[in-house]
Amino acid sequence: VARSLQNLRTTHIDSLVLHSPLPTLEETLIVWEVFERFVDAGVVGQLGISNCYDAATFKALFERARIKPKVLQNRFYKDSGYDQDLRDFCLRHGVAYQSFWALTANPHILRSGEVSAAAARLHVAPQQVLFRWLIQAGHQPLTGTKSEQHMREDLSAASIELTADEMSQIGGLFCPGQADAA
């Protein structure tokens, strides 16, 4: 944390995210307790974890931690079942689910008829539709682009609105069995 503060030239870190769970829950909790001390000292605002795809592990961390995780950052992709259980848990418990690789890992979703139809109706790119679906579903898509144009497009996803039918149809692409058909 001290090195991050120095590198960032700041005295406060808004969100400290553990890169991934350690081999055991007990080891993860030892590190988490160190993180909690930085929150207690006012150096860190909130805590989170990344690359935690096992719902039981995340739920156990959430239950046992004194300071609950406020962020879960995971790759949003088919092999993890699109984290359906984790995303539901996050929504129920006020944890921000931040998706990374949402675009790169999902070209089949971007090419789907459901996303293409919404993009045509809204006169936007399919990438914006996927980001908007995530936002309207209560999640936070993360972008890693270096392109200024793509940054602007990504940000503009906040200003479009999908219909309830579009939300349902696109959401169906992330259900087991249906994503294979996309």
Side-chain angles (χ1 to χ4, degrees), residues 22-34:
L22 279 75
T24 69
L25 178 61
E26 294 310 316
E27 290 172 293
T28 302
L29 286 167
I30 289 169
V31 172
W32 197 265
E33 289 171 5
V34 173

Side-chain angles (χ1 to χ4, degrees), residues 67-78:
I67 298 176
K68 308 298 184 202
K70 288 296 209 177
V71 173
L72 173 60
Q73 277 184 7
N74 274 353
R75 182 183 310 168
F76 186 73
Y77 73 129
K78 184 171 151 181

Side-chain angles (χ1 to χ4, degrees), residues 7-175:
N7 290 342
L8 295 169
R9 297 183 183 143
T10 188
T11 58
H12 187 277
I13 295 173
D14 294 329
S15 185
L16 181 61
V17 177
L18 181 62
H19 183 264
S20 63
L22 279 75
T24 69
L25 178 61
E26 294 310 316
E27 290 172 293
T28 302
L29 286 167
I30 289 169
V31 172
W32 197 265
E33 289 171 5
V34 173
F35 280 20
E36 289 175 331
R37 287 187 226 136
F38 289 106
V39 175
D40 292 339
V43 175
V44 169
Q46 66 180 19
L47 301 177
I49 190 166
S50 184
N51 299 300
C52 184
Y53 299 98
D54 180 65
T57 298
F58 184 74
K59 291 174 184 178
L61 173 63
F62 188 88
E63 292 302 320
R64 293 187 52 192
R66 181 174 56 84
I67 298 176
K68 308 298 184 202
K70 288 296 209 177
V71 173
L72 173 60
Q73 277 184 7
N74 274 353
R75 182 183 310 168
F76 186 73
Y77 73 129
K78 184 171 151 181
D79 290 354
S80 69
Y82 297 100
D83 283 342
Q84 185 62 57
D85 291 342
L86 285 164
R87 289 187 295 117
D88 290 344
F89 182 87
C90 288
L91 287 172
R92 286 193 315 273
H93 292 90
V95 177
Y97 178 87
Q98 296 180 336
S99 64
F100 63 86
W101 258 41
L103 303 179
T104 307
N106 296 296
H108 59 292
I109 299 292
L110 296 173
R111 290 189 306 266
S112 72
E114 295 85 346
V115 169
S116 296
R121 181 185 70 79
L122 294 164
H123 307 287
V124 298
Q127 294 84 348
Q128 292 165 288
V129 171
L130 179 52
F131 272 15
R132 183 59 201 180
W133 183 88
L134 286 161
I135 292 167
Q136 273 183 244
H139 311 307
Q140 299 172 355
L142 301 178
T143 181
T145 186
K146 294 178 183 177
S147 161
E148 187 175 332
Q149 177 185 343
H150 290 161
M151 286 180 208
R152 290 183 196 284
E153 290 172 356
D154 294 347
L155 289 170
S156 73
S159 65
I160 61 175
E161 190 77 21
L162 297 173
T163 67
D165 282 344
E166 289 167 335
M167 285 296 294
S168 177
Q169 291 168 3
I170 294 168
L173 298 172
F174 307 117
C175 294

